[in-house]
Amino acid sequence: MSQPVHAGVARVVAGLASDQVARGWQVTVACPAQGWLPEALTATGVDVVRWEATRSPGLSVVTETRSLSALIRQVDPDVVHLHSAKAGLAGRLAVRGRRPTVFQPHAWSFDAVSGPVRRLSQEWERRASRWTHLTVCVSEAEAAAGRAVGVHGRLEVTPNGIDTARWPTGDRAASRARLGVPEAPTVVCVGRYARQKGQDLLVEAWRTVVAQVPGARLVFVGDGVDHPELLAAAPAGVHVAPNSDLADWYAAATVVAVPSRWEAGLPLVAMEAMSTARSVVAFDVAGIGSGLGDSGEAVPAEDTAALARALVERLVDEPAADAEGRTGRGRVFELFTATRSHADIARLTEELLQLHR
């Protein structure tokens, strides 16, 4: 089950489900009808059932849980795999441990909130772990955060991976020509417009960057990046582009910025940029720094001065940034391929089935 039907979580679900179909498994995904995910799943032989759910918790959880419970009875799966905090909420309330249950949070529910709501979310995750036979985290940092609030039971760390064939190295000049981007030091930031993704923090840092590197360009690529609030606050050199031609946008970059306020681990955007041999600068949340290694730099979370400094260093020394990018490409092939990630999930699922037969 997946609530997100676009962006990174949906891409992970689509990759896992299609891999499992190729293994001869019968796979059904319950998700909302919106977004590109249902059509992509159907095209690869995955059965899709409509489950309407919102991203946020609220009174709708009661209806969402009831409808999901009915769908589970109808499909009668051997294993229930829940992707995202919302699916983890409704799914575990619906199943309550009566079937082998895998939960993959893709960032804990309490990462996105503060104050009393954060404490309630932490308590929920702790209690819900009694109905979870396996929790899959994408980084050691995510697993540690769960254990710190009392999540118990079996936790396994399996990093996400990407299809490296989709993200080859590209010629910077040729990509810029295709996109109509002038030859200038260029930062690219890919992601849907959301507080989590920190585009506003990057805009704040950009004031310092453009003062030190006149003529530098910052391009936001993704859904909603033309948001009026974002553009109203933007200084010179900031541009937006639709969420298309991503391989060209990565190739066109001098450096790729990942200014997220929170993540579960190394995001797919960072892996894709590394695969295209581009240096990555990010905030060091959820252990992103350990994932990047020497393929860029992770600066303290929400430290916009440090973010600006790291971007400037690479914009003024393109050969050094490109060397980091080449290191990153090798690192992706070593650690972050979809083949490896899919095989790990398949193995863990088969082990869980054996334990509950």
Side-chain angles (χ1 to χ4, degrees):
M1 287 76 185
S2 172
Q3 186 281 321
V5 287
H6 53 76
V9 174
R11 287 158 63 192
V12 171
V13 171
L16 285 173
S18 62
D19 172 77
Q20 290 163 2
V21 167
R23 293 174 187 273
W25 299 9
Q26 183 176 348
V27 182
T28 300
V29 173
C31 65
Q34 300 79 24
W36 57 261
L37 179 61
E39 183 177 352
L41 290 168
T42 302
T44 58
V46 178
D47 294 329
V48 179
V49 293
R50 182 172 178 174
W51 174 54
E52 291 306 327
T54 62
R55 289 187 70 93
S56 302
L59 294 177
S60 63
V61 170
V62 175
T63 302
E64 292 161 352
T65 300
R66 287 174 179 165
S67 62
L68 189 54
S69 181
L71 287 173
I72 291 170
R73 289 196 300 272
Q74 174 187 331
V75 175
D76 192 25
D78 296 311
V79 176
V80 174
H81 192 149
L82 305 167
H83 292 270
S84 82
K86 186 57 175 293
L89 171 61
R92 287 181 289 182
L93 285 172
V95 178
R96 297 184 185 236
R98 292 186 291 266
R99 297 173 187 264
T101 301
V102 181
F103 174 47
Q104 199 161 345
H106 302 281
W108 294 106
S109 59
F110 49 81
D111 287 338
V113 291
S114 59
V117 178
R118 179 178 174 84
R119 290 191 291 274
L120 283 171
S121 296
Q122 291 172 334
E123 179 65 14
W124 156 251
E125 295 294 357
R126 185 182 70 79
R127 290 179 177 272
S129 59
R130 62 183 169 172
W131 297 326
T132 312
H133 298 94
L134 171 64
T135 301
V136 177
C137 297
V138 299
S139 69
E140 292 290 349
E142 185 183 35
R147 294 189 185 99
V149 301
V151 172
H152 56 275
R154 186 180 179 190
L155 275 76
E156 295 283 348
V157 175
T158 298
N160 288 329
I162 61 169
D163 179 359
T164 52
R166 288 191 58 198
W167 309 105
T169 56
D171 181 86
R172 182 176 284 123
S175 291
R176 289 179 177 179
R178 280 191 293 270
L179 295 168
V181 175
E183 285 296 325
T186 302
V187 174
V188 170
C189 178
V190 174
R192 61 186 171 86
Y193 178 67
R195 183 175 182 276
Q196 176 193 356
K197 299 304 179 181
Q199 287 98 340
D200 58 315
L201 299 174
L202 181 52
V203 166
E204 183 180 334
W206 191 250
R207 299 180 188 281
T208 300
V209 173
V210 77
Q212 297 185 34
V213 190
R217 295 171 61 87
L218 168 60
V219 183
F220 288 109
V221 183
D223 297 331
V225 293
D226 56 351
H227 194 282
E229 283 186 18
L230 180 66
L231 296 181
V238 176
H239 307 269
V240 298
N243 193 14
S244 60
D245 304 313
L246 285 184
D248 266 339
W249 278 114
Y250 288 131
T254 310
V255 59
V256 173
V258 183
S260 302
R261 284 182 165 90
W262 69 86
E263 292 285 354
L266 190 65
L268 295 181
V269 165
M271 297 178 198
E272 292 162 2
M274 291 160 67
S275 182
T276 56
R278 292 297 174 260
S279 173
V280 176
V281 169
F283 286 132
D284 195 8
V285 295
I288 284 179
S290 63
L292 285 180
D294 294 328
S295 57
E297 183 176 355
V299 302
E302 301 190 37
D303 186 339
T304 56
L307 181 66
R309 187 265 312 153
L311 291 172
V312 168
E313 287 180 359
R314 288 156 180 82
L315 292 176
V316 300
D317 191 350
E318 187 174 292
D322 287 348
E324 289 180 334
R326 290 190 293 272
T327 297
R329 182 164 170 81
R331 190 169 178 81
V332 166
F333 276 81
E334 179 184 359
L335 300 174
F336 301 120
T337 64
T339 299
R340 176 175 178 167
S341 178
H342 295 167
D344 284 348
I345 295 295
R347 173 183 55 80
L348 291 169
T349 304
E350 288 169 343
E351 289 176 359
L352 185 61
L353 267 175
Q354 290 298 322
L355 287 172
H356 288 269
R357 277 180 176 162

